[in-house]
Amino acid sequence: MTGLRQRMTVAAAAVVLAVLVTAAVFALLRIESGATRHAEDEGRMTLRLWEGLLDQSAAAARVAVGDPRLTDALERGNAAAVAERLGALGFTAVTVVNGAGQTLLAVPADQPIRLLDERRIGQVLARNDTQDGLVLTGGAAQLLLARPLGAQRPADRALVAIRPLTGSLEALAGVLGGSAFLVGSDGTLYGHAGPLAWADVRPAAERGEEVQATIGARGYGVRKLRLPKVAGTEGDGTLYLVTVRETTLAAMADSLLDSSALLVVLMVLVAGTLGLDWYFRRVFTPVYASMSALSALAAGDTGVAVLGAERTDEAGQLARTVEVFRSRSRALRDAEERRARHWLRQQSFIRRQMLRLSETLPEQGRRELLADLARIEAASEGRTPCARTDDPGALAVAFEVMAERVRDQHTALDGMVRQLQSALDTRTELVELQKQFEIARRMQAAILPPDLTTAPDLEASGLMRPAAEFDGSFYDFFLTADGSLAVLIGQVSGGGLAAGFMTVTARAALRTLAAAGLGPAACLTGANRLLAADNAAGLSIGLAMGIVSPRSRRLVFAAAGVPEPFLLRRFGDVVDLPVAANPPLGLDPAMTAVETALDLPVPSTLVLCNGGLLDGENRFGVAFGRARLTGILGNLDDLSAASVTAAVSAGLAEHGGGAAMAVDRLCVALRVRA
């Protein structure tokens, strides 16, 4: 008994230790998780702070680059006056380029800025707005600004200027109370602010993104944050922001807290072990007598006296349990005798049930079952009832064999019925599906408009190459009450009759909202609320809507879940229109669409397509792709709407080999004439 008490004391102490260790581990994991989240939050805060400082610097640079004296000097080509204003405004260099990317004026003359290609310059001129970004040039990270130059709109020249980021780095280092560095992926220093030198910080920064380092007998926290790639003439364009903050006092406080926590855990463990030993010593003394009586009862001595049954604690419960065991032993002997008396009646009953069930079997199965029954009855002759009390008997085995044979018969019949029903259901579903596809195809063909050639300054043409099965795509264009041209494209996810109804509903909703004078974003937002309110099938739809005013040549465009449109300004000149992106419609009724407005060059051709056209694959698994479509549009000799759709149709036929694709492919061309 003493050994049991000691073992339980040790086990309880081990449990207490395990609980303490588990609590400590969870506490450490929680602290580590909290430290990780804190580090992530601090990293995000540092990035937001850096981005805010860059935004402030960019805002100041936008104001400075529009200085009238600087603009006037650039217009006159006075390099000396430009150099004088650059120093006053904080810029290091400025370059004037034309639309083809050729340098017209550079100050200083030996350092022309060649950081923008022809495409980027074309975007700056087309958007008629100032653009900014980071560049790596001259051995430093600097702020680049590009804006159109000249009173003519759209302008044919662009102003490109760069400005150092020293002020932003110093402000960041001051807020963090440490040092800040801008470095490349190879460790090249592009900017520095703070008391520490990069040579001392670099070994720690190269070990990881968040490390602790000792510099000059003091502890520092070094964080390395990756910034978006920037354009430039040096390195691979990868830029990192490295911040350094002193952590000496925080490390000392953490060490003191860990030592105190360990001491408290040891004291709790010792006190718990001593208390458990005292408690077990007090409890096991009265239980010993009851355990001795239980051992005697297990050996067959039912006359042993059990003391302590009158107690109300655990020892009394154990004594009363022994008495219950003795009573149940006598009850089991009585039950055995009763079971022996009922054995013969049970045997007769089972035999009658087996004969009755055998009548449902075929002739051969019935003969086999009766033969088994006769053999089992012969084998059971001569056995005493007591011998049968622990054995269900051979008749029960035969009964199980017979029941299994009946179940096999019924299972085979049920399988044949299910196969017949499945074949009938499959045929019915196929007929219904074909009807749905036929109805959806007629709905799709009915809503496609003819080419628009009656407007004096506008023309529109559409192309639809349907999928092998109905896919739910459509396009539409029509003139509004004020003479503007509205163009639509859409593609519903999935197929069948539900997609067809969503196609008709989306087209009708957009036409109705456009007739009420709403813009593309408001039309897409209203249509989304209508579609999401009754979308039990969970379908989504990609929609794009644009409105072109023939008088102002201005395009207002909103797209949700469709690719960016193309713009053909002249032969061989194809650009992607930068428009705001929105998620597909029909799923979130609270979604609000965003639109983009821009002026179209005259003449020009706007080309819209759905995702099925760009992503559709031929039998070799090769997608049509945006690059292929750009090449087709760039090789056109005739930029009329009909010529554009005809060229795209020929390209699709060549790519797919005439075979139907899994999704609809559609394209709409809109020509704005002079």
Side-chain angles (χ1 to χ4, degrees), residues 209-229:
E209 297 180 354
E210 182 78 23
V211 298
Q212 296 294 324
T214 301
I215 303 176
R218 302 189 70 84
Y220 290 89
V222 181
R223 176 177 285 106
K224 185 177 182 182
L225 303 173
R226 184 181 182 128
L227 301 178
K229 283 195 173 183

Side-chain angles (χ1 to χ4, degrees), residues 43 80 134 194 224 234 248 329 354 373 411 458 483 515 519 523 544 562 567 616 641:
L134 291 181
K224 185 177 182 182
E234 301 176 0
T248 304
S329 297
M354 289 180 62
L373 177 59
T411 300
L458 301 170
C523 290
V562 299
L567 181 65

